[in-house]
Every structure is written in C-alpha cells, then in structure tokens.
Amino acid sequence: MSDMITDCESLLGQSSLSGPDGRRGFLKVALGTGFAVAVLPVAAQNVIKTDSAGLVTGSMSVMVDGQAVPVYAAQPEGKTGLPVVLVISEIFGVHEHIADMARRFAKQGYLALAPDLFVRQGDPTKVGSIPELMKGIIAKTPDAQVMADLDAVVAWAKQNGGDTSRLGITGFCWGGRITWLYAAHNPAVKAGVAWYGRLVGEPNPLQPSNPIDIAATLKVPVLGLYGGKDTGISQESIAKMKEALAKGGNKSEFVVYPDAGHAFNADYRPSYVAADAKDGYARCLAWFKQHGVA
C-alpha cells in the first residue's frame, strides 16, 4: 500500500510558499515556475497569467512507496470541502503553463492538483529537445507508476480539504492520454476532459494499454477536445475511439476544432488558438458541472 504524507504546511493553513529553505524551498521555487527549456522561446504575447489573489497556492508532496512526488496545488483561500480536479501535464512537466491552469481551476472553486509524474525518471523542464525528452523520460515512465501516484494524490486530497466524491481529471497531450486511462483505472472519477491526448498506439511493457483498449469498458464520461489539423492524432483514430466507446454505451463526447492543430490550448506556443482554447475551457467547466464534479 502506498504511504502518503504532506511534505509542507497544509494548504488549509498558511501558504505553502512560506517556510524553511532546503528541499522544501527548492520545490516551492521550482515547481510550476518558468517554462520548459524544450519550448523556449515562448510566445510571450499570448501567455495567460492567472494571479493568486484569493487563492492559496504552492507546492507540497505525497509519499508513494518511499518516493516524494511533488505536487503544485491551488485552492480558494479559507475554503474546505472543495471539488477536486487533477491537472495532468504535457510531456514538459509541471511548468508555468500547468501551474496557471491549476490556478484557473482554483479561481472556479476547485482544489486543483498538478503532480510531477516524471519525478523518478528526470526533470522534463530541463531537457533541451523534444526527441531527447521523449526518449530519456517519457518512454521510461510506466503507466502503472502514474496510476499509483495519482491514487496517492487523490488520497491526500481527501485528507486535506478536498471532496473526492466530486473528483475530476483533465490533461493535455501526454496528460490527455493519461486522463482516459485514469478514468478507467479509478471508478471514483466523476468526469474527465482530455485535451488532444493520443488514443491509439503500439503497446509495450511500460505502456501496455492505450485509450482505445479501455474504451469498451469505460464507465466514466470523458470529453475529448481535439484539433482537426493535428498531424499526430488522426481523425480516423478519433472515429475508432467513438466506435469503441459506443459499444460499451459510454457517454463520452468529442469536440473537434477544424482549424486547430495539436496543443491549441498551449498559450505559450505558436500552436495556440485563442478562440478554440477559450471554448474548450468553457466546455471543460460545463462538463464537470454536468457530471457532478463542480
């Protein structure tokens, strides 16, 4: 069984940005700040900056089988019994964009938790190229490890002001794939929103299943937000996923933005499509509300 503890002040008390130096200080400074090296330079003119006014934000960690898993957390100040949303990063890890997404959800009344799911394999924010990142970290990250880490984060939330009977998950790119898989793994999830997550692929020992493989038995409703011009995720794969979901009677839905490519929500990248990102986020919030997360 995974044993989990907090590694800093409870989010229900003072801000976890205050406190002693050392390892905790490093987490507070590093997690959720700056942008991943592989995406520099950022398209600064488009970057959305959500402030922390009225929020408690910062870093904590949960312990999973002896490994401290850092988590960027954001929640409304002075509130408890909050709906919980897991925010799952792209391959670039928990950098500024993912922390900002967590703050956006916190502004909507959620306890938003963005865990560093690559902590054992390396720091993706420091890797200089996408091919190096894929080979050196992403390909070496087991799905089973990710599922266990997310289970521990959910357990932490339940003990620290979160109402896990209202649990949602959303993720981007790599995190979109994980959103589908965790919705299948944890039946307590009320709803998921997967942003351009890969649906099909060649299984391997560390990633033995893809969303298409769990579609027929999936019970959790997932909203898929995809780009019509995404060269990495074909419309054919989306059609196959819809067919597999329908066989199991699942109520998941897809929205395909015809003029968007991959990563259309990434406001720090040239791929950003402001109108589609705004619409997708509104649909995400509505989906959570519709299915009992909000």
Side-chain angles (χ1 to χ4, degrees):
M1 295 294 291
S2 297
D3 176 42
M4 37 153 286
I5 59 171
T6 60
D7 194 39
C8 64
E9 303 90 340
S10 169
L11 287 174
L12 300 180
Q14 58 186 315
S15 168
S16 60
L17 292 174
S18 62
D21 295 327
R23 175 61 179 166
R24 292 181 181 181
F26 171 78
L27 285 177
K28 293 165 192 172
V29 171
L31 196 68
T33 62
F35 289 92
V37 174
V39 300
L40 296 178
V42 300
Q45 70 275 13
N46 294 326
V47 172
I48 297 171
K49 180 67 175 178
T50 304
D51 63 47
S52 296
L55 304 179
V56 178
T57 64
S59 301
M60 34 70 73
S61 66
V62 298
M63 210 66 145
V64 186
D65 295 332
Q67 171 67 55
V69 177
V71 182
Y72 181 87
Q75 71 172 78
E77 189 173 9
K79 302 289 186 179
T80 189
L82 300 167
V84 178
V85 60
L86 303 173
V87 182
I88 313 302
S89 75
E90 322 117 314
I91 62 172
F92 309 115
V94 185
H95 62 160
E96 174 56 32
H97 175 63
I98 298 303
D100 197 89
M101 290 303 305
R103 292 192 295 272
R104 294 179 210 179
F105 282 108
K107 291 277 187 177
Q108 297 295 322
Y110 290 91
L111 168 56
L113 300 169
D116 177 4
L117 298 170
F118 306 120
V119 63
R120 299 169 188 81
Q121 283 69 41
D123 184 353
T125 68
K126 301 296 191 292
V127 178
S129 72
I130 291 176
E132 183 183 1
L133 178 54
M134 292 296 294
K135 181 179 179 181
I137 294 180
I138 307 305
K140 296 179 180 179
T141 302
D143 287 344
Q145 169 191 293
V146 172
M147 300 299 113
D149 286 356
L150 291 175
D151 285 344
V153 172
V154 172
W156 181 91
K158 186 175 183 178
Q159 296 179 8
N160 288 272
D163 177 4
T164 54
S165 71
R166 296 183 289 161
L167 174 64
I169 182 171
T170 190
F172 308 87
C173 184
W174 180 87
R177 174 181 174 272
I178 294 300
T179 294
W180 287 104
L181 295 180
Y182 193 70
H185 168 81
N186 185 355
V189 174
K190 291 291 188 182
V193 179
W195 301 71
Y196 35 85
R198 179 167 57 84
L199 300 169
V200 301
E202 193 67 33
N204 63 69
L206 297 186
Q207 294 91 30
S209 298
N210 284 294
I212 191 72
D213 302 314
I214 54 85
T217 56
L218 182 66
K219 304 302 182 185
V220 175
V222 176
L223 175 64
L225 302 173
Y226 288 78
K229 295 182 178 179
D230 191 332
T231 58
I233 300 175
S234 70
Q235 295 304 299
E236 180 185 7
S237 71
I238 293 175
K240 288 181 178 179
M241 187 69 177
K242 287 180 178 179
E243 182 180 349
L245 288 164
K247 287 180 179 178
N250 183 269
K251 302 301 183 183
S252 296
E253 297 179 7
F254 282 83
V255 176
V256 176
Y257 296 97
D259 296 323
H262 194 71
F264 61 83
N265 187 66
D267 53 48
Y268 61 97
R269 301 180 71 184
S271 56
Y272 179 57
V273 182
D276 294 343
K278 182 178 180 180
D279 183 78
Y281 184 59
R283 289 177 183 272
C284 173
L285 295 176
W287 187 260
F288 282 160
K289 184 175 182 179
Q290 176 185 348
H291 294 285
V293 179

